[in-house]
Amino acid sequence: MEAWSQFVQLLFSGLTVGSIYALVALGFVITYSVTGILNLAQGDFAMLGALLCMTFVNSGMPFVLAIGLSIAAVMAVGALFERLAIQPARRSSVAVLIIITIGASFVFRGIALLAWGTDPYALRPFTGHGALEVFGAVIQWQSVWAIVISLASFAALHLFFQRTYIGKAVAACVINPFAARLMGIDIRKMSLGAVAVSAGLGALAGIVIAPISGASYDMGMMIGLKAFIAAVVGGLTNAPAAIAGAFLVGLLESFAEGYLSSGYKEAISFGLLLLVLLFMPNGLFAKMTGKRV
Amino acid sequence: MEQDQRMADGWKRWLLLAGAAVWLGLPWLVFGNNYVLSTLILIGLYALVGTGMTLLMGYAGQISLGQAAFYGIGAYASAYLTAHAGWPAWLALAAGAVLAALVALVVGIPVFRLREHYLALATLGFGVIMFTFFKEWKGITGGLNGFFGIPPIRIAGVPLQSDLPFYYLVSLFVLAGVWFARNIVRSRVGRALRAIHGSEVAANSLGVNITKYKLQIFMLSAVYASIAGSLYAHYVTFINPDLFGIVPSIYFLIMVVIGGAGSVWGGLIGAAVYVCLGEWLKAVVPLLLPDAGGEFEIVFFGLLLVIMLIYMPNGLTGVALKGWRRFWKTGWRRQVDSHKARSIGGERG
Amino acid sequence: MSAMLLEVERLSKSFGGVQAVQDVSFGVAKGEMVAVIGPNGAGKTTLFNMISGVIPPTGGSVRFQGGVINGKKPHELAMLGMTRTFQNLQLFSDMTVLENVMVGFHTRLTGGIFSAGFRLPLARREEKQAQEQAFSCLEQIGLAHLAWERAGTLPYGTQRLVEIARAAVSRPSLILLDEPMAGLNPQESKQLVDVLLAMREQGFTFLFVEHDMETVMAIADRIVVLDYGKKIAEGAPEEIARHPDVIKAYLGEEAV
Amino acid sequence: MLVLRSVHVHHGHLHVLKGVDLHVGEGEIVAIVGANGAGKSTLLGTIAGVYAPTEGEILFEHKPLPYGKVEHIVDKGICLVPERRQIFDSLSVKDHLLLGAYRRQRRDRQEVKRDYERVLGLFPKLQTMLDRPGGLLSGGEQQMLAIARGLMARPKLLLLDEPSLGLAPLVVKEVMGMLRGLCDQFHTAMILVEQNVRAALQTADYAYVLERGAIVLHGKAAELLADERVAEAYLGAADRR
Amino acid sequence: MKKGMSRLLAALLLMFLAACGKTATSGGEDEVKIGAIFSASGGAAPLGKPEMETVKMLVEQWNEQGGMDGKKIKLIAYDDKSDQNEAVLSTKKLIEQDKVTAIIGGTISGNSLAMIPQIEKAGIPYISLAASKQIVNPSDGSSRHWTFKTAQGDNIVIQKLLGFLKEKGWTNVAWLNVANAYGTSGHEEFKHYAPEYGVKAVIEEEFEATVDDAKAMLTRVKKANPQAIIVWGTAQESAVVTKNIRQLGIESPIVESHGIGTKSFIDLAGEAANGVWFPAGRILVADQLPDSDPQKETLLKYKEQFEKAYGYAPTTFGGHAWDAFHLLVNAIKEGGTDKEKIRSALENTKKFIGISGVFHMSKDDHTGLDADSLVMVQIQDGKFVLAEQ
């Protein structure tokens, strides 16, 4: 019984963390699919979202409004970033593009330092501090929120791509940018939209995780890197697979931590990254779905 | 032919000599100022890593986001072998280099099947895994508490404990490293590498074994990094894993990209600009904003980086090279060329 | 057949069920100049890529100088004496013309990373040898005056010549040319034709793919025609020009 | 309707089009034929705004075309059906058609709907496979889809790049046979770039022969069909040298 | 455009060179130069920032009050951004270029350890603010002639904590530490001293500084059923772990490290913070101290001044800087600007009442603090409450 409850506990821990990775990974995939750029500043959007939301809430704004406003603000930042840093350098080499996003990440982190300092901040959970008990395992409501929100975001995006006209236009851009251009679809606008939406997803991830782990100016890097692994494990252009990858990474970390030791947690997830890259460079789920976005 | 060749190379040789003179003479300009010296030493160590990386990135066209791991291998090999196993520093340095090359070989064989973003990610993963080893393998690395009490390096039994001799030692290594890299670039191997960068299929069809050369250069760049790491360990005498994580790897990459991977000097110039930029921001930012702390420097640094890369994607040496070429073309070089052409023809005819 | 330098036997390639090349056989004798022609999508490039080791065939074999070379990598083929040029110019554009040609001499040199790095006598000797060979090769083609220009800055036609010099400098026994005339203006293509003819005089053997029928007719000893992945004709230029299947393949069937 | 006056195009160092003059009248089908590498696709790409001319001018309905943005050219009523069809593998046939009308989707939804019905009426085969992903269609079906998608933009001028490429002879006949009907029904002028010379010349009203980036011959399609010089352009008759 | 760029570039390069080669400006006779290196930004900024601010405030006060013997103090402070290389470079800059009389700083142990070889070589009085005992008692026996420190070493904190556990009778405990230098150093001291106090770890675990959810690890802790749980980390990660412990329904008492003594821990951990014990410097509970406490007056004064200047409560780290500054100033008063004299004055400091405790330096003890310099604090209703005496 106790083993069972430990298992359930680890499962939920993994799912919670996985859902955060999933939101950020989704952003990676969208940006990469549409622009071909791996945005290493993706994790910093989560940081900006969390800290902005915290500030808005503390200034007395209603919670829902604060969330919406901070997501909108981060989307604006993302759009600005796309116009000022990514567009002008689109034709550069991979190394240069990677470093540009790293440079942007420095800027975001530096600005956050100026605005909020180094102290970690707390954000209140969406719905109280209570917890849920399942098979003897304890699950915070915020964890449930995290999982629900990430799945809901995915569902929303999926619907967006499958059911809406504009979503299909984006999909067309991803599949065949040349043909999409010939149809009069403005790729630059799509790229702007993609980065902005990715930024919004990142912000949402940050807002969801902040009540669990707190928010500080340097939280972006690790979230970003882990989400990165998730995206690669899933296959960089495949959104459902990236989400599966995110949950896989989350669960793997959680079980490794629960049953083995936590010292090698990082090595385990990056080891997974290497294995996937070497043996299945298109991602673990490339064959299973075979479909992009 | 010989004569003209000499004429053309003579200029460059003078330039080189002048550069070397400045480099060796610098400490006398700042005599006694160990701060400037140690800045220069640090530049030199970074430059060594960077030179290896320019070969890898600029000439073999491969990206590495895990180079600090090799830097760390050198540092820890030197630290452990000298402090705990009692080896002489030079032997430890060589052992570290061999170890780094071996690791590069083992990692390189699978990893170099990947390209671009995927390669970058794989090397990043390698870097993180090595960092975990440095952190967790406490028996050898001392874990997160760090490794201290590393003995100084000795030349003919005399320990190098002050900055001036160390500066000369490092600068010798840098010069040798750049010389070695330059020689490679101007050889069959270097041409093959540049050919790979230009077009893999074409290079391959002309008999260049791409995998072999990529691996060799990756190993060589690992050796460069490892030697720099060894020297660093003996210089500061205290190391901890944070120096060899992914953040330093990213900094190395930044240096090389700033300097421009298209020239073997890119590593040195990138390191110099990177370090000076940091020191300069430290001096300038407080003048502009008296109350600003280090965070302003980070913002400025990030902005500069982005702007620089947008406008100079080939780095500083790329810009310099462009200017140099223009000068080269319009100036006396053309005359030399026609001379040269005639004389080679003459020799044959 | 064993006198042939290159023998292609029932070579096939399919990509996911689509037969790009099907049972193609022909040979190239030493000193010969053989052209492969065919309408767009006929499988010429696939055939070429299989011979030059870029992609593995799904059936059949390629023999070069008597030995089977299926599955060999391009660099191994180069070592055996087979080099090629590319349809969309694969010049190393940041290197000088001379350096480009010197890369072509790669197979004739042995120096490795250490002899190069330490500038050992071997490396210096080889460097000099490579430079002289490359230069004399450029001279023969009439490009010596451009030796120190960056390859990427030259006119297209000149780049093509450089590419051929690069492929020829190691004196390989067979050179594959992938659409050598593509994108050249009349003078340039005439210059190139002259160069190729002169090289044939010197004993070079060529296999080439070409669309410019004028050139093909003018310089090929023998022509192999592909259509829909199959060989539909082979013979001397005059025969090919009158071959009904060839005319049909090029101008299309009577429509509607 | 469309006039090109000594248009030059460079790809880097490559001088692809060397002063092309061309004229397309209202409701006309103009064929451009020529060997591979003659610059046909570049010519179409230039008209569609993918490439910018380095010299010369292009007038569409007496006004110069705006360069730099393909979508503006689509707005003017020119649509390119690209070589090799360029189908979106995972999108359904229906989505393809709707995306074809991307630029006017928001403006006149009703009309798009009408056009959708009309286009499907023309391609009954597509009607039966509306939900199938484009990647699963056969070559001929994909070509029809590509043309149908192009028509959805309601172009005044449709540019067709090698619609017969990679299709079996029977299918080529089918596709070519259709073009004339489309031209009449939609009042659309067409430029048809083809390698399959006979098929093209039998379909078109007027034709240009492009050789190495320049027009070497032009005239009524039917006349060119009989002209020996056309065959020469392809087979480079040996006696000409 | 291109030309503009290259000109801009040239200008920038010139400025770099100028900045790099900037030569020393010699100070006047009427001032004493003190060098300082803090990690005011980067990972250790929560520690380093109050240190920097404390010293800046003290220097200002000191100079307003006329300095010492008419000499003003000139503070030259650098931010090492929590980076070891920066710390080493700044040390050299202070010694060689700024030619300071003494140096305080080195917020974290790693940076201090990297600075020490330069300092010992140059022979300059140095007071570190970091905790590792290696700073003053290196295990490799290298020289620490010039090096002092003002933070209680982890050995002292651990002894305080173990004493507390023994007193409470919680001898079977779970040990959890953050996976960084701070955590592992605490862990080593714990392993070293625990047997002495009869305390046994039934389970020992590490967690990442970036931990989001430690429940996975805590399920194992729960199984081990300890009498008390020790969480050794700094505010953010400890808060996550603390919350998770309570969320899992583990009711064992939680004892943590002195690293959580900030308001943000209480904010982050919320309800779960209540009841947590930890050893801390007296500054945290200054106003609750009995009047008989010799430090009380000093503490309250510092607290008031700091809060007035910066608007937030001083931390123990700021306190280390306060101590270092005053120890140094006292030594300079006594020894003038002669470095060896300052050093020996430092070494002979007795009964100095500081923020971190009452210092008794000696040749063998360059810290001068013992376990009595700490008190146990409990968090109750979101407040720090003095738990003993």
Side-chain angles (χ1 to χ4, degrees):
Chain A
M1 187 58 209
E2 200 166 296
W4 175 238
S5 87
Q6 187 189 7
F7 175 82
V8 173
Q9 192 69 59
L10 297 182
L11 184 73
F12 269 90
S13 274
L15 289 177
T16 308
V17 179
S19 62
I20 303 301
Y21 296 165
L23 281 174
V24 183
L26 215 50
F28 269 126
V29 170
I30 294 173
T31 305
Y32 183 77
S33 304
V34 177
T35 65
I37 286 168
L38 267 187
N39 179 14
L40 285 174
Q42 189 70 35
D44 293 300
F45 292 137
M47 175 270 292
L48 288 176
L51 288 173
L52 277 173
C53 187
M54 185 276 304
T55 307
F56 291 147
V57 169
N58 286 356
S59 74
M61 206 179 273
F63 204 54
V64 178
L65 183 66
I67 292 177
L69 204 59
S70 44
I71 291 177
V74 175
M75 285 177 77
V77 171
L80 210 63
F81 160 68
E82 199 270 353
R83 269 296 108 100
L84 297 181
I86 294 201
Q87 271 302 338
R90 282 195 77 157
R91 281 164 215 281
S92 305
S93 70
V94 173
V96 168
L97 280 171
I98 286 182
I99 296 178
I100 284 180
T101 63
I102 291 175
S105 161
F106 285 172
V107 175
F108 292 147
R109 234 177 295 163
I111 290 173
L113 255 175
L114 288 173
W116 291 285
T118 53
D119 283 339
Y121 291 95
L123 185 64
R124 73 170 174 83
F126 294 1
T127 47
H129 288 273
L132 194 67
E133 204 153 314
V134 186
F135 299 114
V138 185
I139 294 125
Q140 288 160 265
W141 278 110
Q142 188 66 22
S143 296
V144 179
W145 272 112
I147 298 167
V148 168
I149 286 180
S150 83
L151 291 179
S153 314
F154 171 62
L157 274 175
H158 185 76
L159 282 180
F160 172 74
F161 281 118
Q162 294 296 314
R163 295 287 155 79
T164 68
Y165 189 71
I166 191 85
K168 284 186 178 144
V170 177
C173 275
V174 173
I175 301 166
N176 188 335
F178 177 67
R181 252 179 93 196
L182 290 181
M183 240 143 281
I185 298 173
D186 187 342
I187 298 204
R188 283 161 49 99
K189 259 185 212 155
M190 293 291 168
S191 152
L192 182 73
V195 176
V197 168
S198 304
L201 283 170
L204 185 60
I207 294 166
V208 171
I209 191 75
I212 299 177
S213 68
S216 63
Y217 81 102
D218 61 351
M219 68 190 278
M221 180 144 170
M222 216 53 207
I223 292 185
L225 282 178
K226 293 287 173 60
F228 214 42
I229 300 176
V232 175
V233 166
L236 264 179
T237 51
N238 184 334
I243 292 197
F247 282 112
L248 181 70
V249 171
L251 288 173
L252 190 73
E253 283 187 349
S254 168
F255 284 112
E257 205 180 347
Y259 291 127
L260 304 167
S261 140
S262 36
Y264 289 92
K265 190 169 117 184
E266 235 101 281
I268 286 171
S269 24
F270 278 93
L272 174 71
L273 169 80
L274 274 187
L275 286 180
V276 169
L277 279 176
L278 296 180
F279 297 108
M280 297 170 158
N282 293 321
L284 275 182
F285 309 102
K287 278 197 190 118
M288 280 157 60
T289 55
K291 223 171 130 182
R292 306 204 295 177
V293 176
Chain B
M1 170 190 179
E2 290 288 309
Q3 199 185 358
D4 290 313
Q5 179 93 35
R6 239 176 246 149
M7 218 175 101
D9 278 357
W11 263 94
K12 279 192 177 174
R13 197 162 293 164
W14 280 113
L15 265 175
L16 267 178
L17 270 176
V22 169
W23 187 247
L24 289 171
L26 262 180
W28 307 105
L29 290 174
V30 295
F31 185 66
N33 191 332
N34 280 357
Y35 156 65
V36 178
L37 271 185
S38 52
T39 311
L40 291 174
I41 290 170
L42 214 55
I43 291 175
L45 292 172
Y46 292 163
L48 212 48
V49 182
T51 308
M53 278 179 86
T54 54
L55 283 178
L56 184 67
M57 286 172 63
Y59 292 94
Q62 307 303 308
I63 189 173
S64 169
L65 268 171
Q67 208 68 5
F70 296 117
Y71 191 56
I73 288 175
Y76 277 114
S78 275
Y80 183 78
L81 292 176
T82 53
H84 291 181
W87 291 28
W90 293 106
L91 202 59
L93 179 140
V98 171
L99 182 66
L102 284 179
V103 172
L105 179 68
V106 172
V107 172
I109 287 174
V111 160
F112 277 126
R113 291 189 313 203
L114 303 168
R115 279 156 190 278
E116 306 209 317
H117 284 124
Y118 290 98
L119 179 65
L121 285 177
T123 52
L124 180 84
F126 161 70
V128 172
I129 290 171
M130 285 308 295
F131 173 64
T132 311
F133 274 124
F134 294 146
K135 217 169 62 176
E136 296 294 326
W137 210 359
K138 297 183 179 120
I140 286 183
T141 64
L144 283 162
N145 293 336
F147 193 125
F148 51 97
I150 303 164
I153 211 161
R154 284 163 192 275
I155 288 176
V158 183
L160 293 192
Q161 270 172 323
S162 65
D163 287 325
L164 192 64
F166 211 90
Y167 165 80
Y168 281 118
L169 180 71
V170 170
S171 54
L172 267 180
F173 266 99
V174 172
L175 284 180
V178 173
W179 176 76
F180 195 90
R182 253 172 75 91
N183 285 344
I184 284 185
V185 166
R186 301 169 155 207
S187 73
R188 170 179 185 257
V189 181
R191 269 195 310 276
L193 287 172
R194 292 163 66 196
I196 291 173
H197 200 16
S199 159
E200 285 200 9
V201 273
N204 199 219
S205 77
L206 294 168
V208 177
N209 186 341
I210 294 174
T211 339
K212 185 179 110 188
Y213 281 115
K214 277 186 186 171
L215 258 183
Q216 280 189 353
I217 286 305
F218 188 47
M219 288 165 73
L220 186 66
S221 77
V223 168
Y224 272 86
S226 164
I227 290 175
S230 291
L231 292 173
Y232 179 83
H234 289 300
Y235 176 56
V236 177
T237 74
F238 172 83
I239 52 177
N240 74 58
D242 286 337
L243 293 163
F244 315 112
I246 43 172
V247 175
S249 282
I250 289 172
Y251 286 145
F252 286 137
L253 186 66
I254 289 174
M255 286 179 218
V256 173
V257 173
I258 289 179
S263 153
V264 288
W265 297 99
L268 178 59
I269 291 172
V273 170
Y274 174 84
V275 173
C276 288
L277 187 67
E279 296 297 299
W280 178 72
L281 282 175
K282 229 194 280 184
V284 166
V285 169
L287 296 181
L288 301 174
L289 305 148
D291 287 328
E295 49 267 41
F296 257 110
E297 295 168 32
I298 298 176
V299 178
F300 273 122
F301 187 78
L303 280 177
L304 268 177
L305 199 63
V306 172
I307 293 168
M308 223 166 153
L309 288 183
I310 290 173
Y311 291 105
M312 301 187 287
N314 294 321
L316 288 168
T317 52
V319 175
L321 219 62
K322 233 179 192 172
W324 181 250
R325 267 193 198 125
R326 212 172 297 150
F327 167 70
W328 207 232
K329 239 179 152 166
T330 50
W332 37 267
R333 175 69 202 243
R334 199 176 273 281
Q335 293 171 355
V336 176
D337 280 352
S338 57
H339 261 288
K340 202 163 172 178
R342 242 179 286 137
S343 60
I344 293 182
E347 202 179 59
R348 277 178 39 83
Chain C
M1 276 300 267
S2 59
M4 288 290 184
L5 180 68
L6 179 81
E7 293 163 71
V8 176
E9 264 179 58
R10 299 179 61 83
L11 204 58
S12 304
K13 178 78 193 180
S14 57
F15 294 107
V18 181
Q19 279 283 343
V21 171
Q22 207 178 338
D23 286 339
V24 173
S25 306
F26 66 93
V28 179
K30 199 164 165 19
E32 222 182 358
M33 204 163 214
V34 178
V36 177
I37 64 170
N40 218 354
K44 301 176 307 269
T45 304
T46 309
L47 177 72
F48 227 59
N49 283 341
M50 281 192 286
I51 295 173
S52 60
V54 177
I55 53 174
T58 41
S61 71
V62 185
R63 296 165 79 81
F64 181 58
Q65 294 180 328
V68 177
I69 56 167
N70 289 19
K72 280 219 166 35
K73 302 253 170 57
H75 64 91
E76 293 169 315
L77 295 181
M79 288 291 176
L80 291 175
M82 183 200 291
T83 59
R84 66 172 290 184
T85 66
F86 297 84
Q87 183 179 348
N88 49 340
L89 271 185
Q90 298 280 349
L91 227 49
F92 312 125
S93 51
D94 278 334
M95 295 163 76
T96 65
V97 168
L98 188 69
E99 283 172 325
N100 262 281
V101 180
M102 282 164 82
V103 174
F105 206 65
H106 188 85
T107 54
R108 294 302 178 92
L109 307 176
T110 56
I113 201 159
F114 282 102
S115 67
F118 291 114
R119 246 183 132 57
L120 299 181
L122 170 77
R124 289 194 217 183
R125 202 171 52 236
E126 284 193 346
E127 198 58 17
K128 206 175 154 198
Q129 187 195 358
Q131 208 166 357
E132 279 168 10
Q133 286 287 340
F135 201 86
S136 86
C137 184
L138 283 174
E139 220 169 24
Q140 283 176 17
I141 265 177
L143 299 178
H145 60 291
L146 299 173
W148 282 276
E149 297 292 331
R150 272 204 321 149
T153 62
L154 298 178
Y156 197 76
T158 316
Q159 292 194 25
R160 185 126 264 164
L161 285 176
V162 173
E163 204 187 18
I164 285 172
R166 189 178 71 180
V169 68
S170 61
R171 293 208 67 91
S173 26
L174 176 67
I175 301 178
L176 309 178
L177 305 172
D178 194 354
E179 301 205 20
M181 302 297 159
L184 301 192
N185 64 32
Q187 290 119 299
E188 287 171 338
S189 48
K190 187 169 179 320
Q191 195 185 359
L192 182 56
V193 163
D194 291 342
V195 165
L196 290 178
L197 289 175
M199 284 170 76
R200 185 172 61 170
E201 289 299 303
Q202 291 175 21
F204 279 101
T205 309
F206 291 100
L207 174 66
F208 67 109
V209 165
E210 186 48 65
H211 275 111
D212 183 348
M213 296 302 281
E214 212 172 295
T215 313
V216 173
M217 294 297 166
I219 65 175
D221 296 317
R222 213 145 45 77
I223 299 176
V224 174
V225 190
L226 295 188
D227 195 19
Y228 289 104
K230 289 187 199 142
K231 184 170 98 175
I232 56 168
E234 180 178 349
E238 303 77 38
E239 295 168 47
I240 295 297
R242 292 187 198 98
H243 200 296
D245 288 346
V246 177
I247 293 171
K248 197 171 87 182
Y250 266 83
L251 297 185
E253 286 183 84
E254 297 290 321
V256 193
Chain D
M1 175 182 201
L2 179 82
V3 178
L4 272 72
R5 281 200 200 116
S6 67
V7 168
H8 291 255
V9 176
H10 288 80
H11 288 327
H13 291 289
L14 204 53
H15 195 172
V16 187
L17 293 184
K18 302 157 188 170
V20 172
D21 293 288
L22 194 93
H23 182 274
V24 180
E26 208 84 38
E28 207 178 27
I29 300 186
V30 170
I32 298 173
V33 297
N36 236 304
K40 297 173 307 215
S41 295
T42 305
L43 180 57
L44 283 199
T46 308
I47 298 170
V50 181
Y51 313 113
T54 38
E55 229 179 279
E57 60 173 350
I58 304 180
L59 299 174
F60 185 63
E61 296 179 320
H62 312 294
K63 274 179 253 156
L65 283 175
Y67 283 97
K69 282 205 160 181
V70 178
E71 55 271 20
H72 293 168
I73 300 219
V74 176
D75 285 341
K76 297 268 178 221
I78 297 181
C79 184
L80 171 61
V81 177
E83 194 180 5
R84 293 180 203 281
R85 309 182 278 274
Q86 311 277 6
I87 291 296
F88 306 115
D89 290 344
S90 60
L91 293 188
S92 70
V93 168
K94 190 177 169 191
D95 292 340
H96 273 89
L97 295 181
L98 292 177
L99 281 177
Y102 182 81
R103 296 302 291 190
R104 54 201 195 94
Q105 174 73 17
R106 253 178 251 166
R107 265 179 288 134
D108 35 33
R109 216 164 276 238
Q110 286 311 309
E111 215 177 301
V112 168
K113 203 151 191 197
R114 270 204 304 282
D115 283 347
Y116 176 70
E117 298 299 333
R118 215 143 66 104
V119 167
L120 280 181
L122 277 170
F123 297 91
K125 224 175 185 173
L126 296 180
Q127 179 96 58
T128 63
M129 44 182 82
L130 282 177
D131 291 323
R132 195 175 295 182
L136 297 183
L137 268 52
S138 75
E141 290 158 0
Q142 285 190 349
Q143 187 60 57
M144 294 193 191
L145 178 58
I147 295 173
R149 184 178 66 182
L151 285 172
M152 285 299 291
R154 250 319 183 55
K156 295 171 194 157
L157 174 64
L158 190 67
L159 312 173
L160 293 165
D161 198 353
E162 303 261 5
S164 75
L165 190 68
L167 300 185
L170 260 173
V171 184
V172 174
K173 270 186 193 172
E174 194 185 352
V175 171
M176 290 295 172
M178 209 158 222
L179 295 181
R180 174 55 66 188
L182 294 181
C183 185
D184 297 341
Q185 281 217 14
F186 279 79
H187 312 290
T188 302
M190 283 186 199
I191 301 182
L192 173 65
V193 154
E194 256 304 332
Q195 242 206 139
N196 191 328
V197 186
R198 288 203 177 127
L201 294 185
Q202 281 168 355
T203 313
D205 300 310
Y206 200 83
Y208 291 82
V209 179
L210 198 62
E211 210 182 308
R212 286 188 181 128
I215 303 286
V216 289
L217 204 62
H218 60 98
K220 289 238 166 65
E223 287 167 16
L224 286 185
L225 198 53
D227 197 320
E228 267 185 23
R229 285 177 295 175
V230 177
E232 270 176 30
Y234 277 82
L235 295 179
D239 53 8
R240 221 174 76 178
R241 271 191 153 250
Chain E
M1 179 71 200
K2 283 266 160 60
K3 215 169 211 172
M5 267 316 283
S6 56
R7 252 179 225 160
L8 186 75
L9 204 77
L12 279 174
L13 268 173
L14 274 177
M15 282 162 94
F16 293 151
L17 289 176
C20 279
K22 202 179 66 178
T23 43
T25 46
S26 56
E29 284 301 304
D30 53 346
E31 57 182 22
V32 180
K33 282 201 218 166
I34 294 181
I37 299 168
F38 303 114
S39 303
S41 62
L47 287 61
K49 204 152 185 251
E51 292 173 353
M52 177 82 96
E53 287 170 346
T54 297
V55 171
K56 280 190 173 162
M57 175 185 86
L58 292 175
V59 169
E60 216 165 278
Q61 281 176 6
W62 193 264
N63 287 340
E64 265 170 27
Q65 287 159 17
M68 91 189 114
D69 308 335
K71 284 188 180 176
K72 301 237 170 197
I73 292 177
K74 188 175 155 91
L75 176 74
I76 301 167
Y78 294 118
D79 173 9
D80 66 26
K81 303 191 187 69
S82 309
D83 174 3
Q84 173 176 326
N85 288 329
E86 291 270 351
V88 171
L89 281 184
S90 305
T91 309
K92 295 209 170 174
K93 199 171 183 181
L94 287 175
I95 297 171
E96 302 287 335
Q97 192 160 305
D98 304 320
K99 303 205 187 310
V100 296
T101 306
I103 297 175
I104 58 181
T107 300
I108 47 180
S109 302
N111 289 5
S112 298
L113 285 169
M115 287 157 65
I116 286 169
Q118 323 301 329
I119 281 164
E120 291 292 329
K121 214 186 298 165
I124 183 166
Y126 168 56
I127 307 177
S128 164
L129 310 183
S132 170
K133 70 174 180 191
Q134 299 284 357
I135 293 169
V136 287
N137 298 316
S139 56
D140 67 343
S142 56
S143 160
R144 292 296 190 265
H145 190 65
W146 298 92
T147 306
F148 299 83
K149 75 181 172 79
T150 55
Q152 292 92 347
D154 290 334
N155 49 340
I156 293 169
V157 187
I158 286 286
Q159 288 179 56
K160 179 80 191 172
L161 185 141
L162 285 167
F164 173 75
L165 291 175
K166 193 178 167 191
E167 191 184 303
K168 291 271 180 190
W170 299 331
T171 48
N172 288 329
V173 300
W175 171 271
L176 315 174
N177 68 269
V178 60
N180 60 23
Y182 178 73
T184 51
S185 149
H187 189 198
E188 257 152 49
E189 297 300 340
F190 175 78
K191 279 191 289 193
H192 184 257
Y193 287 107
E196 241 173 72
Y197 290 81
V199 173
K200 199 174 93 214
V202 290
I203 181 168
E204 292 166 294
E205 291 289 344
E206 275 193 341
F207 52 91
E208 296 291 327
T210 52
V211 65
D212 297 322
D213 185 343
K215 290 200 212 79
M217 172 191 80
L218 291 170
T219 56
R220 272 181 297 157
V221 173
K222 191 176 182 183
K223 263 185 171 170
N225 198 21
Q227 286 172 292
I229 300 173
I230 304 167
V231 180
W232 197 265
T234 47
Q236 185 167 7
E237 65 273 12
S238 297
V240 173
V241 175
T242 308
K243 268 197 294 184
N244 288 168
I245 290 174
R246 292 298 181 231
Q247 281 155 0
L248 278 179
I250 305 174
E251 299 298 336
S252 323
I254 304 173
V255 186
E256 311 216 357
S257 85
H258 50 311
I260 64 161
T262 73
K263 187 82 176 58
S264 59
F265 175 79
I266 297 175
D267 290 342
L268 288 167
E271 280 289 303
N274 286 331
V276 168
W277 306 84
F278 64 98
R282 287 181 164 74
I283 181 76
L284 216 53
V285 288
D287 38 9
Q288 299 167 34
L289 291 169
D291 289 339
S292 59
D293 193 295
Q295 283 176 262
K296 186 164 185 177
E297 197 193 326
T298 316
L299 289 169
L300 286 177
K301 197 172 146 203
Y302 169 51
K303 196 167 175 211
E304 188 203 322
Q305 288 171 345
F306 190 89
E307 273 169 4
K308 202 174 138 206
Y310 299 105
Y312 65 99
T315 64
T316 46
F317 306 105
H320 299 323
W322 192 98
D323 295 342
F325 178 80
H326 283 98
L327 281 169
L328 189 61
V329 168
N330 289 344
I332 293 173
K333 261 190 196 158
E334 203 169 304
T337 48
D338 182 278
K339 294 193 176 84
E340 175 56 39
K341 277 187 188 151
I342 296 174
R343 194 205 70 82
S344 89
L346 275 174
E347 195 170 270
N348 292 314
T349 303
K350 302 286 178 220
K351 277 203 178 171
F352 167 73
I353 297 172
I355 302 296
S356 312
V358 181
F359 289 80
H360 294 274
M361 298 272 188
S362 70
K363 193 172 183 317
D364 299 321
D365 184 1
H366 277 196
T367 308
L369 292 172
D370 56 21
D372 287 340
S373 61
L374 296 164
V375 290
M376 286 308 288
V377 173
Q378 190 178 29
I379 298 172
Q380 290 173 9
D381 298 327
K383 299 224 161 40
F384 297 119
V385 177
L386 181 64
E388 47 169 4
Q389 287 172 346

